[in-house]
Amino acid sequence: MNTLKGTLVVLAVTLFFASCSSSVKITGEKPGTANTKGLKDYYKDFFPIGVAVAPRMLHGEDSALIVNQFNSLTAENAMKMGPLHPRENEYFWKDGDSIAFFAKKHGLRLRGHNLCWHAQAPNWMFKNANGDTVTKEVLLQRLKDHITTVVKHYKDYVYGWDVVNEAIDDRENVFYRPSAWYRICGEEFIAKAFEYAHAADPKAVLFYNDYNTENPKKREKIYQMVKKLKEAGIPIHGVGLQGHWSVNNPSREELEKSIKMFSSLGLQVQVTELDVSVYAGRQGGQLIQGQRRDSASAFTPEMEEQQREKYKMAFDVFRQYKGKLTGITFWNLSDRYSWLDGRGRKNYPLLFDTNRQPKKAYWDVVRFDAAK
Ligand code: XIL
């Protein structure tokens, strides 16, 4: 009898503590684990937050972090012309499709990147059977075929496309980049690309996308080009600021000016490829001429501080321009891998460290006064 009583007391006490502990709220905010807030949640009243991915990241720990933190995706390479269209009569859909299916399955938005670019374009595009350069007519027809096929293929998955990427030159006295597209077609390929994309999916939001968009001279050229397209009735709806920035660039003023100028044309603005290189002097991912190929590769406290400042400033500005900005996308997920690695040194440009844990800059970005 006494033993039974004792057992009941122990049971009651156990149940009491069990019920207490189950009512304790999980307050730990550890990004990367389920049931915790992610970037997308902190920014739900502002804009979607995206990340550029490769198919290998759609499994395991990377995929858990993606789903926990982001509500938009871009294919880092899989939807570019070269990877997608390696030979004239051959498309390779597998990689792009795996990203599209993943996005659909998890309810993430998907940006299409990109339809026409001087880099990662297949060589066959510009050559005929004899190896000679094709005529403008042939090239525009091939561009049309490519854009029509790709945009229609991803119609139910992709809400908007970077239609033309990096058509403006960095040099002050050169307007258009002398790419194969430009050399063969002149500036007309730009308008045509937008028209082909619009015809293939009239609902898609169409962007011109470029880097160094905070450089006053380049910004002015982009502004003039986009204005001309708009005035000619070309279906262009947005400008993508790639956002390949560094610890010393851009300034708050220049960033604000770019957002204001492009949105003054009635266009939406997105930051499409955000990363903050810890090395000074980077320009759109390229080394500035004469720059040292620094072999140092540690993430120093000084780099960390400077990077925090830049991220904090950038997201302050982004929040301020809510409504004009319709998306912010990071170019890669964590410092474990970034396209900026290599060139003899490791970079640390993102908000998650090499162990996929949030860096201090992450907390700077998500801790803000929503009332401001
Ligand atoms: C980069 C990818 O991240 C790399 O993996 C690839 O080798 C080269 O292209 N601007 C763009 C992106 O618009 O498509 C580029 O992506 C980075 C610069």
Side-chain angles (χ1 to χ4, degrees):
M1 190 65 182
N2 267 352
T3 1
L4 181 62
K5 226 171 151 185
T7 312
L8 283 176
V9 170
V10 170
L11 195 65
V13 169
T14 313
L15 282 175
F16 174 76
F17 281 110
S19 74
C20 281
S21 64
S22 70
S23 70
V24 170
K25 275 243 245 17
I26 301 163
T27 51
E29 294 180 298
K30 195 170 172 256
T33 55
N35 300 324
T36 58
K37 272 173 100 172
L39 288 164
K40 64 176 173 16
D41 306 304
Y42 292 103
Y43 280 90
K44 69 177 187 328
D45 297 330
F46 292 89
F47 27 68
I49 307 265
V51 59
V53 298
R56 66 170 190 282
M57 295 155 76
L58 307 177
H59 316 276
E61 290 180 65
D62 278 342
S63 96
L65 186 61
I66 291 169
V67 172
N68 186 226
Q69 294 289 330
F70 300 93
N71 51 7
S72 179
L73 294 186
T74 304
E76 182 183 3
N77 289 299
M79 294 188 189
K80 291 172 181 173
M81 193 181 271
L84 210 53
H85 200 169
R87 273 165 289 279
E88 186 164 11
N89 296 312
E90 186 184 324
Y91 282 88
F92 175 75
W93 299 113
K94 189 168 146 272
D95 287 355
D97 287 3
S98 68
I99 295 171
F101 295 151
F102 183 91
K104 188 72 113 198
K105 178 171 158 203
H106 294 282
L108 314 174
R109 297 161 71 85
L110 181 59
R111 295 190 87 249
H113 176 84
N114 60 54
L115 297 172
C116 182
W117 189 23
H118 65 277
Q120 291 180 281
N123 288 333
W124 68 261
M125 182 61 70
F126 308 102
K127 302 274 176 214
N128 65 20
N130 305 325
D132 297 330
T133 303
V134 291
T135 61
K136 175 174 175 178
E137 288 63 39
V138 170
L139 187 57
L140 287 179
Q141 185 59 46
R142 286 180 178 178
L143 180 64
K144 182 177 186 182
D145 291 344
H146 174 82
I147 290 182
T148 307
T149 306
V150 172
V151 172
K152 281 186 188 285
H153 181 87
Y154 287 118
K155 217 176 162 86
D156 298 329
Y157 296 87
V158 165
Y159 75 90
W161 280 95
D162 291 327
V163 177
V164 175
N165 202 29
E166 304 180 353
I168 295 292
D169 207 276
D170 287 297
R171 290 165 290 183
E172 274 187 28
N173 53 351
V174 183
F175 197 91
Y176 290 109
R177 178 190 294 274
S179 65
W181 298 107
Y182 183 79
R183 288 196 309 273
I184 299 170
C185 303
E187 64 184 272
E188 206 183 326
F189 81 90
I190 301 168
K192 288 287 181 205
F194 280 93
E195 285 176 347
Y196 301 149
H198 185 64
D201 182 2
K203 289 199 297 294
V205 189
L206 305 181
F207 290 85
Y208 174 72
N209 193 49
D210 213 329
Y211 64 90
N212 272 350
T213 45
E214 299 69 41
N215 171 300
K217 295 271 162 39
K218 192 163 176 191
R219 175 175 55 216
E220 180 60 27
K221 284 188 277 182
I222 296 172
Y223 176 83
Q224 292 305 338
M225 178 191 71
V226 167
K227 185 160 175 280
K228 198 161 134 191
L229 290 170
K230 275 277 290 188
E231 283 168 1
I234 303 300
I236 175 168
H237 314 111
V239 174
L241 318 179
Q242 288 188 1
H244 292 299
W245 295 333
S246 80
V247 288
N248 64 348
N249 147 67
S251 67
R252 178 185 290 264
E253 293 67 34
E254 298 299 355
L255 172 56
E256 286 199 43
K257 207 160 170 192
S258 295
I259 300 171
K260 280 193 210 149
M261 261 175 82
F262 296 128
S263 56
S264 76
L265 292 169
L267 297 166
Q268 46 175 292
V269 177
Q270 293 201 4
V271 178
T272 54
E273 306 184 14
L274 181 58
D275 48 23
V276 177
S277 167
V278 295
Y279 302 104
R282 198 165 268 283
Q283 248 186 356
Q286 278 114 46
L287 292 168
I288 290 175
Q289 231 183 3
Q291 188 183 350
R292 221 157 47 95
R293 280 176 187 270
D294 202 336
S295 62
S297 60
F299 186 45
T300 66
E302 193 198 353
M303 287 171 177
E304 182 176 46
E305 273 318 298
Q306 292 177 332
Q307 188 182 52
R308 288 180 68 178
E309 286 290 307
K310 198 52 77 186
Y311 266 120
K312 197 167 164 8
M313 179 283 285
F315 276 83
D316 275 354
V317 172
F318 298 163
R319 288 192 302 277
Q320 193 185 325
Y321 288 89
K322 154 188 169 171
K324 298 196 187 316
L325 286 174
T326 58
I328 305 294
T329 298
F330 286 86
W331 206 249
N332 300 138
L333 180 61
S334 77
D335 289 346
R336 182 170 282 259
Y337 158 75
S338 151
W339 76 295
L340 297 174
D341 292 340
R343 303 171 173 117
R345 65 192 184 185
K346 166 120 191 90
N347 213 316
Y348 302 86
L350 300 158
L351 291 184
F352 297 95
D353 68 17
T354 52
N355 292 316
R356 303 185 183 82
Q357 296 305 308
K359 290 156 67 174
K360 286 182 191 154
Y362 175 94
W363 298 112
D364 294 332
V365 160
V366 302
R367 286 184 181 140
F368 56 88
D369 181 356
K372 271 212 301 204

